[in-house]
Amino acid sequence: MSTQKRVAIQGIRASFHEEAAFKFFGEDIETIECNSFKETFQKLDTQQADFVVMAIENSIAGSLLPNYSLLREYNFPVIGEVYLHIQLHLMALPGSKFENIKTVMSHPIAIRQCNDFLDDFPDLKIIESNDTAACAKKIKEEQLTDTVAIANTLAAKLYGLNILERRIESNKKNYTRFLILSDKKTEVKNANKASLCFQVSNDVGSLAKVLNILAENGINMSKIQSMPVLGKRNEYNFYVDVEWAETKNYEEAIRKILKYTVNFSIMGEYVKNDAV
């Protein structure tokens, strides 16, 4: 019986999600390929996977808002995070020359992140796809000699493509943060970061009270994101990431915050991991 961790990702092997999974778990895992983020949660829900790796924000494109809704809907605990430096390369079949290329394929966000490079070649036809690695795979499988993909080095290696141009992304400080989810509540040792979700009453200063409690207890708020509560006018879920040095300060802050919030939940407590 296999003891490999089964990790569900949106996309296929050699995608950035698999790269993030490798960075967190190491390469000895079984990757479960999924067509959508919802499908990754369904795999975890039906125990066809042990973990989900899910992008939650990008330093250029911003937060992936639908993924916050999935977190709320399924309530799987967040057990970790990983940051990935997104480096995008232009790749083609061995022997293909750039002057013969007619088509570029990639994920719309990846294409957007390479606009400065692509603007210099207005004759290239651009085709959007739901996955960077799937474009590399398609070139290999269909032997497309006049097509290039924008993807990562993992995809070039797995599908035997040559990299024609490296680092074509416009902004070299391009990072994506991924959350690691499990279907089991496990206590993470030395946790110093948490993801919280709550609503506040529609009174003057109610959110400020919560933020002041964090500040008074020396808790750093590294992220705040609001999302409308489905079907409720002027009601919002606040998703807040907090970091701390002293656990007792964090516990004290949580105890005080409970008085000023509704539907409060700790989505996960884990070790801060922002190294890239």
Side-chain angles (χ1 to χ4, degrees):
M1 189 177 149
S2 172
T3 55
Q4 281 183 319
K5 295 180 173 78
R6 299 168 304 160
V7 183
I9 62 164
Q10 187 268 323
I12 67 168
R13 291 200 55 213
S15 63
F16 286 107
H17 274 84
E18 186 177 59
E19 198 177 330
F22 284 167
K23 190 172 179 186
F24 191 85
F25 293 106
E27 295 195 14
D28 185 24
I29 59 172
E30 183 191 340
T31 304
I32 312 288
E33 300 174 338
C34 300
N35 291 322
S36 65
F37 287 113
K38 178 139 183 122
E39 192 185 333
T40 65
F41 277 72
Q42 288 166 341
K43 294 282 186 201
L44 191 55
D45 200 30
T46 55
Q47 295 176 336
Q48 294 175 71
D50 305 308
F51 301 96
V52 164
V53 172
M54 178 183 79
I56 196 68
E57 62 187 283
N58 175 267
S59 57
I60 296 170
S63 292
L64 281 76
L65 296 179
N67 289 0
Y68 279 100
S69 300
L70 283 171
L71 284 174
R72 190 78 183 159
E73 184 186 339
Y74 281 86
N75 237 355
F76 291 131
V78 180
I79 60 149
E81 66 175 357
V82 66
Y83 281 77
L84 205 57
H85 192 178
I86 303 297
Q87 300 182 345
L88 296 163
H89 313 296
L90 206 64
M91 56 194 69
L93 283 174
S96 293
K97 290 188 167 54
F98 188 67
E99 53 266 33
N100 300 327
I101 297 301
K102 296 188 176 70
T103 305
V104 181
M105 297 194 301
S106 197
H107 189 281
I109 290 178
I111 290 165
R112 202 159 78 228
Q113 289 168 354
C114 300
N115 273 345
D116 291 352
F117 177 86
L118 295 171
D119 284 349
D120 292 338
F121 305 98
D123 293 340
L124 288 176
K125 183 184 178 191
I126 293 172
I127 295 176
E128 294 185 350
S129 161
N130 64 352
D131 188 1
T132 52
C135 298
K137 187 181 183 187
K138 185 179 170 77
I139 288 173
K140 167 78 183 221
E141 285 180 347
E142 298 181 19
Q143 291 291 295
L144 304 174
T145 52
D146 63 350
T147 303
V148 285
I150 298 171
N152 60 7
T153 46
L154 213 56
K157 195 169 147 194
L158 185 63
Y159 300 114
L161 301 184
N162 276 0
I163 293 179
L164 302 181
E165 290 277 348
R166 289 185 179 275
R167 303 296 307 275
I168 65 166
E169 69 275 10
S170 306
N171 189 321
K172 304 303 176 199
K173 293 188 169 75
N174 183 3
Y175 302 98
T176 295
R177 177 182 176 225
F178 298 81
L179 296 180
I180 316 299
L181 308 166
S182 164
D183 62 342
K184 293 170 186 67
K185 195 96 172 148
T186 48
E187 196 175 329
V188 176
K189 283 194 177 70
N190 306 316
N192 57 2
K193 188 169 182 177
S195 294
L196 315 173
C197 181
F198 55 82
Q199 293 161 245
V200 293
S201 60
N202 201 9
D203 301 325
V204 173
S206 54
L207 179 60
K209 282 188 185 121
V210 172
L211 303 185
N212 281 336
I213 290 167
L214 292 174
E216 284 158 12
N217 285 276
I219 308 299
N220 177 41
M221 183 181 69
S222 58
K223 162 114 188 178
I224 182 166
Q225 180 72 54
S226 66
M227 287 271 291
V229 176
L230 213 59
K232 302 275 181 79
R233 204 164 70 90
N234 297 336
E235 286 188 32
Y236 294 87
N237 282 317
F238 291 96
Y239 296 88
V240 174
D241 290 335
V242 295
E243 302 166 3
W244 61 88
E246 296 287 335
T247 304
K248 64 178 193 299
N249 292 5
Y250 163 69
E251 288 170 347
E252 174 71 8
I254 294 299
R255 201 161 58 245
K256 288 178 176 169
I257 283 170
L258 284 169
K259 279 187 239 169
Y260 299 103
T261 57
V262 185
N263 294 335
F264 179 91
S265 71
I266 298 172
M267 295 193 297
E269 295 170 341
Y270 47 96
V271 177
K272 178 184 170 184
N273 181 15
D274 58 5
V276 287

